[in-house]
Amino acid sequence: MRRSRGLTVALVLSLAGAGTGLGLVLMPQASAITQPVAFTADALPTWQPNGIVFAMAEANGTVFAGGTFSAVRPPENAGSGTEQDAVNFVALDAATGAPTSCKLSFTIGDGSATVRSLVVSKDKKTLYAGGYFGAVNGTPVSSVAAIDIASCAPKASFHPAFPATVRALAVTDDTLYAAGDFGTVEGETRERFAAVDAGSGALKPFTANADEPGRAIEVTPDGKNVLIGGDFFSVNGSNTHALAVVDATSGAVKKTYSNIPSNSVVKDISTDETGFYTGNEGSGGGVFDGRIGLKLSDFSEKWRDRCLGATQFVLPYDGVLYSSSHAHDCSTEQEFPDGKRHFMLAQPTDHTGAAPAPVDGFVRGPGKLGWHPTANDGIGEGIGPRVMAVAEKNDVKYMWVGGEFTLINGVEQQGLTRFASTGDVGAPTTPVVSAASVKPGEAQVRWRTSYDADDSKLTYRIYRNGSGTPIASVTASSLEWQRPQASWTDTTVKAGQSYTYRVTATDAAGNTSALSATAPVTVPATAQSYPNQVREDGAKLYWRYDDTVSPYVADSSVSGNTSGVQVNAPALRQTPGAVTGSSTAMGFNGTSQQVHSDRRQTVGATYTLETWFKTGTSRGGKLIGFGNNTTRNSGTFDKQIYMTNTGRLAFGVYSGSARTITTGLFETYNDNKWHHVVATQGPAGMALYVDGQNKGTLNVTTHADYAGYWHVGGDNLASWPNRPTSNFFAGQIDETAVYPSALTQAQVKNHYDLAKAPTDTVSKVSATEDTYINQGAPSTAYGTSTSLAVRGTAAYETYLRFTLPAAPAGQVLKSASLQIKTTTQAGAGTADKVSVVPVTGTWSGAGTTFNTKPTLGTTPLGSITGIADGSAIHNVDLDTAAVSAVLGTSYDMALTSAGTDPLWIWSSEATAAEGTPQLILTFGPK
């Protein structure tokens, strides 16, 4: 009988919201992993069998494994040890993963022997085995055996006759309960369930006759009742399918169940003080493959996890239910949709707050926790993991897992693996970061939350301008299948200046990811009218498609938590975009490419969809819609805008039937021009707008209610009116937004007009030549140096030359700044004031020395006082009027100081990323 070590508080971690403004750096939690998970996901070296493990038990730091195999071998790349015979059984040291001296062979004269169940007596002195075998080390038995653990020898006097396979065992102080395929025991009728004396093996009166095989058996903690599971439809003549509760002495039925589908069975039952739990398997339509949590007080159901993917084993431990399965669809739990298989899961044994309202008559199971080792289907039936056990040695707890798998965490490992309660060494994945600014005084840093296999709560540190000290930190939660965007808003930025950001992720053990790639941003001198208005109007999802890397699409909304995931590599940075200025678009091929949101959500009764598109396709396709899957075709889909083959636009919802608004017969939009489409639904019904004009309304106020994901560029359109040839859109899409309100026609028209309004543009101008002079080496030229220096005494002066662009037609210079980056050498910063002044004399990088230095102007262009040590980017605001006067020319400036503390910066010859001197020029309408 499997029992937990004792209940502790089961804590479900919720998503931590992103902070705004400068924040205190948060240190990782003292725990090595995110509680209440008790084990890392880092697999330890473990000996492995050449077959399948069906059963495990533990006693005194030893783990016993049984199944169908003939030998065990060292871990892959272990470098020591040779294969050993192990006939369907092996005993292993819990702490080392290596075989012990205990050797047992389970054999049978005819056919293939197998061990299907192992349990240990409460006093830890006897190991009981069940399966299909006729001898243990030559001692005759009949599919059940008792092993003296101290001597590792079968007890010859214990040999009850079970004539068919025994699939499960449970033991109390004096009774061994069995479940399996048998119809008799010791020649007496005992159909699929039986009990024998734990010492002598004598048959007991307990009778719980079932009509189909028994697969699971467990005793309640008080010892008064037995929980039985399997394929059956009746027990002792009472109708009950797959699960029943019977009296521990007589076997009389005490509780029946009728709400497990007929095509599903119970594969495993476990119990502890929090309740009892079933693992279920089935096949066919309407199957139930998940887990049920039930109360011990009255044996009623407290929750049901209806994930699809046969559950083989359940193990409650310290308030967490660990399970082995191949779960591939947890849509009913509002978790991951149908797709890849997840072989090991963890979830609290109980809801931590009020249980959710029942859906279809069932209370949804507690949400999954951040413990996610990976496996594969493996051999045999392709089930993957089949059994789990917790062992302890030297104050370290180990989660052992056995089954059919041949890979663990992508590394070859067959049949057995283990995970410890200490020693978390896996770092989170590196965050994918972007940054954006749509108005002065504010820069939004966004990243898709990282993934860590045993830490759902991570600390993110944000570094600005190359500094080695974080400017802020944010704590956010994520799971392998749920990685919402996190963001932080820097409110200390200055208009017209450029900044760069990098982010790391740190888990609770202190393991830290690599620094993200650099995310640059330039703060505009005035608010960018279109994106600023989208945010002001309350968009909760805003994809601008200015991303530079795959597969992440940043959310530019104020809340900033609905990032997108690119599927099949849409084309990035397509120009020109729909909005005047620097915005870019994303290109879709019309056959397989799309973007879906990374956060499962529901949609309220009122909402707005908005996007821009450009295409010449004659195959139509979906522009934006809401579906219940991600990379696979959604089975449920509505709230969508799509294009017909002729270029007409349709907005549709499902309200008992498909209800659509479609543009007029001759209102087509596949003309390779940018168009703006907006669809709303709310109490006033549906409305469709194109290029700021209302194209139709419909008095429909409801839509299909389900949890799902936003899709852009493609998803299912089966059976919808005027369905196009392609589900996927061929063309460019830009500026997609979703609102929790219905925009008015005036707001829609305003957005359309603002997209074409003049906006600021930014030019980054790199130095074409630079050098510095050194009073200490008055005849030396430094034109090829990778660094530049500034000091008053003894003098260093730096000279920079820029070829300045002319102002774009109809625009003026709104701001100018000089961007420099301190070098990595010690003491590169300065405590002194550094001034930027015009150069009035002549100079060259190759020939200028201290002795031939040029004359300088007297009126500074700008200055900066105090630059901290440590390689980082710094901006010097320049006199806008003075720079405006020299636009369109080659212009020279110098960096000077009156102090004695030198400043060292990178030159244009340096290879330091974003580290060479640049002018940041912001132009805008007059």
Side-chain angles (χ1 to χ4, degrees), residues 458-492:
L458 301 174
T459 297
Y460 298 89
R461 292 181 174 82
I462 301 104
Y463 298 83
R464 188 174 75 177
N465 288 351
S467 172
T469 301
I471 192 173
S473 71
V474 169
T475 299
S477 294
S478 56
L479 298 169
E480 194 268 350
W481 55 84
Q482 181 178 298
R483 295 169 60 186
Q485 177 174 292
S487 64
W488 173 78
T489 300
D490 189 347
T491 57
T492 66

Side-chain angles (χ1 to χ4, degrees), residues 773 797 799 839-844 848-850 852-856 894:
I773 53 94
E797 285 181 357
Y799 310 119
V839 177
T840 57
T842 60
W843 63 278
S844 69
T848 295
T849 68
F850 180 82
T852 61
K853 64 181 180 177
T855 56
L856 306 180

